Structure formats: structure tokens, C-alpha cells
């Protein structure tokens, strides 16, 4: 892989449109969808009607998609040979356009000696590659992009106007330097100094309004927001983790329980996105070789009929959480789910109880109804927006994060009718919990007391969102979420998968619209990858040892390396995300955030096993 290449999965997560990337000689911002080279065979269309319909519905409601448009999902472009020798990919404009010379100058003023480096603009660099700055005496110096830019809560991004920040409304054309003292890189020890004598400490730039008002600039789209802005700009460190939080929606593909034609149409639903009549089917056959090869023998009317059925089913699913359909598929109790075929989207088996509930393990498994070995699954993830400074809170039902409610988000295109997505294949295990047993546990007095403490913590945490935080997921969700993290850590030790390659989907759902008692309880622990990590079979192979794995996971949680501090942690009076935690820390329940669907929120091992701080509210004795 070259230094300027990114993996497909990175383009819909960490480094999507609007994200800044360091290259060897400069920094760039990943371009919006209009700057992606999607010509010819550079991309593939991904068929996933459930995900497409849901995103289309939400984006149209938000005014971010033309009401007459039909949304499609496409893979990011891959670099292939082209006639002009330029590889296909994603255009990335230079950002920021302020640079610092690497040549250090020493400035002595009295008894103090400071280090300073020249601050220059992109247009000041040499015309050959723009990698060096030439001083007046002929000396040349390499340059690096400045670390500081500015942005607003709406996701707009722009260079800091250093001359205006230092001088105000005055005009000055003297050289400028970044001056540093000490070795801490603290903002108080870094200043912008002008040759005229004016200076500005970076610590002062944190004052509200000190960097000026936002102009609505969107360098990844090469334009300004037509709605304008006017918010106060905030200082943003270019390489900090809060510069970019992708908004990604993920679903698990479900099998099509119909005839062969329905399966073929389902697989090609992405290529048939523009088909609205029977006549359009004939045109698709004529101009799309892929459609012609697969559907040629079938009549146009039958193809259109199957397509309509798939779309109607997807529209029905689009009105509710995608997790409901997934849970009903896994928890149906059928001995086989899907087809055991290399091209199948999903194949799973509900195992007989004696295959996984070993009585010699010495653990009560009465609260678990079934265990499902998922031999093959397909995960589709789609990027539809992003935020800066703070991630949008995640709902426990797995639905789309409405970035207009709690955190204002930014678009990844101006008016594209497609979104970038990737598909990954893997395996997993699904644990179906008895909702009745969990409901009975919630009625216990000790559980109710613990529930009130978790609710108090949630009340403190939601204040940061000005009353627009997602609803409390419920203590049943906290229980299942904590079990999931414990199992993931133990499975990683048992089967050899890297812990960071495991993912979770927690199902604590109500069949009643608008909320109600939780009657669907389950956990899907899976791994999915475009490479070989998701197809080794090691995760499914843990199913016969499940009772022993669960027992070991729970035993590890009884004592945490940070006890008694961890066990005594109370969520009600803490700041930040710690307000959502009971007895949970990096020594026991917290895992890699890429593996957790809830960004490591709402965890408490006191709900699972007796701890030093609470030995009465546990689900497992």
C-alpha cells in the first residue's frame, strides 16, 4: 500500500469526506462524493434494500436528498489502471494552507531565549512541488502544515486567519513566526509573533469569539454553506480525535425466503434501483450486462413483481428499528436459518441445548433460551454524515443517529443520490436470553435500587445535550451490554481472535411502538472483515464451550484490578461519560470503541456478579 492510499473501510469511517489526513509533505481534507472518481468499473453497487430504504427516508425528511431521487449504495472507488496513468480514487484538497518552516531560528531577548519558526502560506512556497520556502537570503527550508485550524459546531472548517487574529482590523505585511518556549507544547508556551511586535498566545484563542465568526466554509465540498453560519469559531488541533466523528449505519443482511428468482433480484437490487416500470426492466437487461447475464431467462413482469415485493418489505422495515427484523430472524427457533451456500448472505443453526449448556460447567443457564451458531453473515455499513467536536449519541435500538437533534452534523456531498458503503463477511454467535427471567430480575428490590442510581447518572449525563439526548436504554440493556463486553474479552482469549476484531449488537427491544416492556433480549457477537479474519470459523467453534466461557468471563468480573475504586464507583454525581457507568473501567468491562456499538457507555458489572460494592443486584448468583 502506498503512503497516499487508504483502505475502503477507512473511507466510510475514520477518514471519510471532511476528515483531515496527514501526508508525507502536507495535510489534506478528504473530498466530498462529487470528488470521488466513480467512472466505469471503479466501484460496485451494493444491494441492501433495508438499509437503502431507511437512509432514503431519513435523508428526504431532513431535506438532504431530492424527494424524487432513488438512493443507491456504492463502494468507494478502487485504484485501477487508467489511460492517462492517473489512478482513480478520491480527490483531496490541500488543507490547511498555512505552513511552518522546519528551520528553527533562535531569538534572544534579555536573559530569555526562545525558538521560533517562520509561518508561511501555500502560495509562498516554491512552485516546484511546493515543498520548500525560500528566505530572502536564498536559504530554503522544508515546511510542515500548521497543527491548528478552526471549526464550528455545524462541522464547517476553515484556516485560522492569523493576520486578523494577531492584528485585528489593522493591516500588516511583516513576516510572522510561531514562537515556542519550554518543551511541553502547552498553548500557554506557544505564541504567534509578528515582525511588527504584535503577538498572540495560543491560550488566548480558546476565548469565545477570539477566532472570529464562521463563514460556513466546507473545503471538502469546495464551497460555502448556502445557509451561511455566523457561529463562533473554535480552535481545533488538526490531528486530535475530536476533529471527525463519522455517522455510520450498519445492518446485518437477512436471507430471502423465496424462490431462486427472488434471490437473484435481491442480489441485483442495487443495479435495479432506477427501475420503476416493467419497461425499465427491459432497458436494464439491454444496457447492464450483469443484469442481462443473471436475469435474461426470466420475464420482465416476473422480475418487476419480485422487485416490488422486496421494496415493499424494505419499506415496512424502514419504519422501525433494523434490530427488530434481525432479532426475529435469529430468535425464531428454526434449526437452520438461511442457506448453506458460499453466496448466501446468512446461514445459521439453532443448536440443541445439550450441545452448549453443559451441566458440569457449574453455572445457571436458565436465563438463556437458545444459542445460535452463525456460520456466515454479511454486514453492510454506510456513511451518511459526520460531526465535529462531539459524537452524536447512539440509540440502543440501533436506528439512525439523528444528527439534527443533539449534535449538528455536516453533509458529505452537495446533492449526490448515492452514499458510500462497504460489505464485510464473517461469523458469530447469537445468545437468546429469556425476557421473562430478565423481567423477574428487574422486579427485585435490590435491582430497583441499582436502577435508580443508573437513572440518576443518566440524568446527569444528558444535561450536556441540552435535553436532546437519546432515551435511557433501560437497565435490561445495561445488563446485556455488560454481558456482551465480558464475553467478548473472554472469547478473544479462548479462540485467538484479536479483541478489536470482535463486534457486538445488543438486542433489548420492545415490540410495542413508542416503547414499552422489553420482550426481545439477545446478543450477537460477531466478526466481519473484508479479509480472512472473518472466515476462519474460530468464533462458531466456541459454541460447544459456551457454558465454560461464560463462567470464566463472570469469574473475572468479581474482582477488578482497580477495586475497590471500580466497585465503589457511583454513576450519579460523575462528569462526562463516567456518569453512565456503574462498576466499570478499563480493567474490567471497557473495550475498544470500534468493537462497541454504544461507545463504551452504559456498563455495570454489579448487574452481573457480586462485587465489593454491591452483592445483591446481580443477575448471576
Amino acid at each position: 500500500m502506498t503512503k497516499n492510499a487508504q483502505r475502503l473501510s477507512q473511507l466510510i469511517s475514520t477518514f471519510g469526506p471532511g476528515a483531515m489526513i496527514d501526508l508525507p509533505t502536507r495535510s489534506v481534507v478528504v473530498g466530498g462524493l462529487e470528488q470521488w472518481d466513480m467512472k466505469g468499473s471503479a466501484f460496485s453497487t451494493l444491494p441492501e434494500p433495508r438499509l437503502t430504504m431507511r437512509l432514503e427516508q431519513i435523508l428526504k425528511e431532513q431535506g438532504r436528498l431530492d424527494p424524487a431521487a432513488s438512493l443507491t449504495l456504492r463502494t468507494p472507488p478502487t485504484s485501477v489502471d487508467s489511460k492517462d496513468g492517473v489512478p482513480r480514487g478520491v480527490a483531496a484538497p490541500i488543507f490547511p494552507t498555512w505552513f511552518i518552516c522546519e528551520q528553527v531560528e533562535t531569538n534572544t531577548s534579555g536573559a530569555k531565549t526562545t525558538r521560533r519558526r517562520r509561518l508561511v502560506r501555500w502560495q509562498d512556497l516554491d512552485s516546484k512541488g511546493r515543498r520548500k520556502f525560500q528566505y530572502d537570503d536564498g536559504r530554503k527550508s522544508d515546511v510542515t502544515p500548521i497543527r491548528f485550524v478552526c471549526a464550528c459546531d455545524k462541522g464547517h472548517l476553515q484556516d485560522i486567519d492569523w493576520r486578523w487574529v494577531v492584528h485585528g482590523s489593522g493591516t500588516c505585511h511583516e513576516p510572522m513566526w510561531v514562537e515556542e518556549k519550554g518543551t511541553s507544547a502547552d498553548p500557554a508556551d506557544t505564541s504567534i509573533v509578528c515582525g511588527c511586535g504584535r503577538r498572540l498566545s495560543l491560550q488566548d484563542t480558546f476565548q469565545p469569539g477570539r477566532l472570529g465568526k464562521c463563514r460556513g466554509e466546507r473545503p471538502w465540498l469546495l464551497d460555502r454553506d448556502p445557509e451561511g453560519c455566523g457561529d463562533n469559531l473554535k480552535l481545533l488541533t488538526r490531528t486530535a480525535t475530536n476533529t471527525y466523528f463519522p455517522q455510520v449505519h450498519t445492518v446485518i443482511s437477512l436471507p430471502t425466503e423465496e424462490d431462486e428468482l427472488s434471490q437473484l433480484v435481491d442480489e441485483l437490487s442495487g443495479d435495479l434501483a432506477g427501475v420503476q416500470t416493467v419497461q425499465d426492466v427491459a432497458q436494464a437487461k439491454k444496457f447492464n450486462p450483469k443484469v442481462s447475464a443473471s436475469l435474461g431467462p426470466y420475464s420482465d413482469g416476473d422480475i418487476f413483481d419480485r422487485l416490488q415485493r422486496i421494496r415493499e418489505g424494505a419499506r415496512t422495515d424502514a419504519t422501525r428499528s433494523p434490530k427488530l427484523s434481525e432479532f426475529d430472524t435469529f430468535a425464531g427457533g428454526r434449526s437452520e436459518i438461511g442457506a448453506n451456500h458460499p453466496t448466501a448472505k446468512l446461514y445459521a443453526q439453532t443448536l440443541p441445548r445439550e450441545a452448549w449448556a453443559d451441566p458440569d460447567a457449574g453455572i445457571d443457564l436458565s436465563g438463556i433460551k437458545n444459542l445460535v451458531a452463525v456460520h456466515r453473515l454479511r454486514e453492510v455499513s454506510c456513511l451518511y454524515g459526520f460531526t465535529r467536536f462531539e459524537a452524536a449519541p447512539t440509540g440502543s435500538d440501533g436506528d439512525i443517529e439523528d444528527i439534527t437533534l443533539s449534535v449538528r452534523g455536516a453533509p458529505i456531498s452537495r446533492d449526490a443520490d448515492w452514499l458510500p458503503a462497504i460489505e464485510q463477511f464473517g461469523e458469530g454467535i447469537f445468545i437468546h436470553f429469556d425476557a421473562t427471567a430478565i423481567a423477574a430480575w428487574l422486579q427485585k428490590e435490590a435491582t430497583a435500587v441499582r436502577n435508580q442510581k443508573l437513572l440518576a447518572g443518566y440524568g446527569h449525563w444528558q444535561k450536556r445535550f441540552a435535553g436532546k439526548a437519546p432515551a435511557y436504554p433501560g437497565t435490561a440493556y445495561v445488563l446485556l451490554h455488560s454481558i456482551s463486553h465480558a464475553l467478548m474479552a473472554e472469547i478473544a482469549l479462548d479462540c485467538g481472535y484479536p479483541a478489536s476484531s470482535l463486534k457486538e449488537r445488543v438486542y433489548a427491544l420492545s415490540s410495542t411502538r413508542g416503547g414499552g416492556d422489553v420482550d426481545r433480549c439477545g446478543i450477537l457477537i460477531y466478526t466481519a472483515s473484508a479479509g480472512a479474519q472473518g472466515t476462519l470459523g474460530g468464533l462458531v467453534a466456541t459454541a460447544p464451550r459456551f457454558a465454560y466461557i461464560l463462567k470464566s468471563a463472570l469469574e473475572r468480573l468479581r474482582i477488578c484490578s482497580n477495586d475497590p475504586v471500580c466497585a465503589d464507583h457511583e454513576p450519579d454525581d460523575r462528569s462526562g461519560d463516567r456518569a453512565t457507568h456503574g462498576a466499570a473501567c478499563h480493567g474490567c468491562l471497557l473495550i475498544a470503541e470500534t468493537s462497541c456499538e454504544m461507545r463504551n457507555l452504559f456498563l455495570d458489572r454489579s448487574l452481573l456478579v457480586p462485587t465489593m460494592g454491591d452483592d445483591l443486584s446481580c443477575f448471576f448468583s
Side-chain angles (χ1 to χ4, degrees):
M1 178 180 293
T2 64
K3 292 182 179 180
N4 295 352
Q6 299 291 336
R7 294 192 299 272
L8 297 186
S9 59
Q10 289 179 308
L11 277 175
I12 66 149
S13 56
T14 317
F15 300 117
M20 289 173 282
I21 299 179
D22 263 331
L23 298 182
T25 60
R26 62 204 58 170
S27 173
V28 297
V29 59
V30 179
L33 300 186
E34 285 82 5
Q35 299 179 65
W36 292 30
D37 190 347
M38 306 297 279
K39 299 174 184 176
S41 59
F43 70 94
S44 300
T45 303
L46 293 182
E48 187 51 57
R50 291 170 57 233
L51 179 57
T52 305
M53 289 292 180
R54 183 59 175 151
L55 286 167
E56 183 177 305
Q57 179 188 59
I58 292 294
L59 294 180
K60 286 181 178 179
E61 290 175 358
Q62 295 180 356
R64 294 164 59 185
L65 183 66
D66 190 315
S70 296
L71 188 69
T72 58
L73 306 182
R74 302 179 184 178
T75 62
T78 54
S79 178
V80 295
D81 294 334
S82 57
K83 294 181 180 178
D84 56 5
V86 178
R88 290 173 180 167
V90 176
I94 300 295
F95 186 87
T97 56
W98 283 94
F99 292 78
I100 302 176
C101 293
E102 294 186 2
Q103 185 168 327
V104 179
E105 304 174 30
T106 302
N107 183 38
T108 303
S109 177
K112 294 182 179 180
T113 300
T114 57
R115 304 179 310 277
R116 65 181 189 178
R117 293 179 291 167
R118 185 75 174 268
L119 185 62
V120 296
R121 294 296 300 266
W122 170 256
Q123 56 264 33
D124 299 330
L125 305 182
D126 62 68
S127 58
K128 296 180 179 180
R130 296 194 182 272
R131 297 186 177 185
K132 296 179 182 292
F133 173 75
Q134 183 171 339
Y135 292 90
D136 294 338
D137 59 5
R139 292 177 298 125
K140 289 188 176 183
S141 172
D142 291 326
V143 295
T144 57
I146 194 168
R147 289 190 298 129
F148 306 103
V149 295
C150 56
C152 74
D153 290 331
K154 294 180 182 177
H156 302 142
L157 183 70
Q158 66 186 63
D159 271 304
I160 297 174
D161 188 345
W162 292 110
R163 291 202 176 275
W164 179 87
V165 171
V166 173
H167 299 92
S169 56
T171 302
C172 179
H173 300 287
E174 292 294 318
M176 300 177 70
W177 289 268
V178 176
E179 188 176 88
E180 299 167 322
K181 59 182 179 180
T183 58
S184 66
D186 187 274
D189 294 336
T190 305
S191 301
I192 306 297
V193 180
C194 182
C196 69
R198 299 290 295 269
R199 65 170 50 234
L200 171 75
S201 171
L202 281 184
Q203 192 172 35
D204 297 336
T205 61
F206 290 98
Q207 300 173 3
R210 188 64 180 83
L211 296 177
K213 298 293 184 179
C214 177
R215 300 190 294 266
E217 292 190 10
R218 304 185 295 187
W220 67 97
L221 299 180
L222 303 178
D223 71 354
R224 289 188 179 183
D225 192 334
E227 298 180 1
C229 188
D231 291 356
N232 284 333
L233 289 167
K234 298 181 181 180
L235 186 71
L236 191 63
T237 303
R238 179 170 50 81
T239 55
T241 56
N242 67 342
T243 60
Y244 191 80
F245 294 99
Q247 299 293 300
V248 179
H249 194 34
T250 299
V251 300
I252 303 297
S253 297
L254 302 180
T256 304
E257 300 293 342
E258 287 195 47
D259 56 15
E260 181 182 4
L261 177 56
S262 296
Q263 296 177 13
L264 290 174
V265 173
D266 185 39
E267 292 173 3
L268 293 169
S269 57
D271 295 276
L272 298 172
V275 172
Q276 301 298 329
T277 64
V278 176
Q279 290 73 25
D280 290 342
V281 175
Q283 294 298 311
K285 284 184 178 180
K286 182 177 180 180
F287 295 106
N288 190 323
K290 188 176 178 182
V291 173
S292 176
S294 299
L295 302 178
Y298 300 96
S299 71
D300 297 347
D302 289 343
I303 295 171
F304 186 71
D305 179 63
R306 300 301 195 282
L307 184 61
Q308 288 291 85
R309 290 187 205 173
I310 293 171
R311 286 175 175 172
E312 286 301 321
R315 288 192 187 99
T316 301
D317 283 344
T319 61
R320 61 177 192 166
S321 164
K323 282 189 174 182
L324 284 168
S325 299
E326 294 170 16
F327 179 90
D328 292 343
T329 299
F330 288 122
R334 289 174 293 175
S335 58
E336 289 198 356
I337 303 168
N340 186 11
H341 190 272
T343 62
K345 295 180 180 179
L346 179 69
Y347 176 64
Q349 291 178 308
T350 303
L351 302 178
R353 195 170 187 85
E354 57 271 15
W356 56 270
D358 192 335
D360 296 333
I363 182 172
D364 182 11
L365 297 175
S366 59
I368 299 177
K369 297 181 68 173
N370 283 315
L371 187 71
V372 180
V374 185
H375 298 278
R376 182 179 178 83
L377 61 79
R378 174 180 180 254
E379 174 198 66
V380 180
S381 300
C382 177
L383 175 70
Y384 62 93
F386 67 90
T387 62
R388 300 198 197 276
F389 295 109
E390 188 154 11
T394 306
S396 61
D397 61 356
D399 207 351
I400 287 180
E401 302 162 351
D402 191 340
I403 56 178
T404 63
L405 291 181
S406 53
V407 179
R408 291 177 290 181
I412 59 176
S413 71
R414 288 191 291 269
D415 53 8
D417 60 355
W418 60 276
L419 291 174
I422 60 167
E423 61 177 352
Q424 300 187 99
F425 295 90
E427 54 169 322
I429 56 172
F430 175 79
I431 304 107
H432 182 191
F433 284 83
D434 188 345
T436 305
I438 292 179
W441 168 74
L442 289 171
Q443 296 301 316
K444 293 182 178 180
E445 183 179 353
T447 308
V449 172
R450 192 65 181 175
N451 181 41
Q452 289 303 314
K453 292 182 178 180
L454 293 171
L455 275 172
Y458 165 76
H460 187 79
W461 174 75
Q462 71 171 349
K463 293 177 183 177
R464 65 194 291 189
F465 300 107
K468 297 178 182 179
Y472 179 61
T475 304
Y477 180 91
V478 181
L479 169 71
L480 295 174
H481 193 207
S482 302
I483 295 174
S484 176
H485 281 214
L487 281 172
M488 290 168 76
E490 190 66 27
I491 287 172
L493 294 174
D494 182 90
C495 74
Y497 274 116
S500 59
S501 72
L502 299 178
K503 304 179 185 180
E504 67 177 355
R505 286 180 79 80
V506 180
Y507 304 88
L509 309 169
S510 171
S511 57
T512 306
R513 283 184 178 273
D517 293 336
V518 172
D519 55 9
R520 289 175 166 88
C521 299
I523 299 169
L524 174 65
I525 297 175
Y526 69 102
T527 180
S529 170
Q533 266 190 331
T535 59
L536 299 177
L539 193 50
V540 170
T542 62
R545 306 190 300 277
F546 175 77
Y548 295 95
I549 291 174
L550 178 60
K551 182 182 179 181
S552 297
L554 296 176
E555 286 295 327
R556 289 179 187 274
L557 295 183
R558 292 180 183 271
I559 299 293
C560 172
S561 58
N562 291 322
D563 278 344
V565 176
C566 177
D568 291 338
H569 173 77
E570 297 292 346
D572 54 355
D573 59 349
R574 303 294 173 172
S575 61
D577 292 344
R578 285 293 285 163
T580 67
H581 294 158
C585 69
H586 285 284
C588 51
L589 281 183
L590 272 63
I591 61 174
E593 286 200 359
T594 53
S595 299
C596 178
E597 69 171 18
M598 188 62 80
R599 296 191 301 109
N600 275 327
L601 304 178
F602 303 108
L603 295 165
D604 187 5
R605 62 187 171 95
S606 294
L607 300 180
L608 306 185
V609 293
T611 64
M612 292 181 179
D614 184 356
D615 60 355
L616 297 176
S617 61
C618 54
F619 183 75
F620 298 95
S621 57

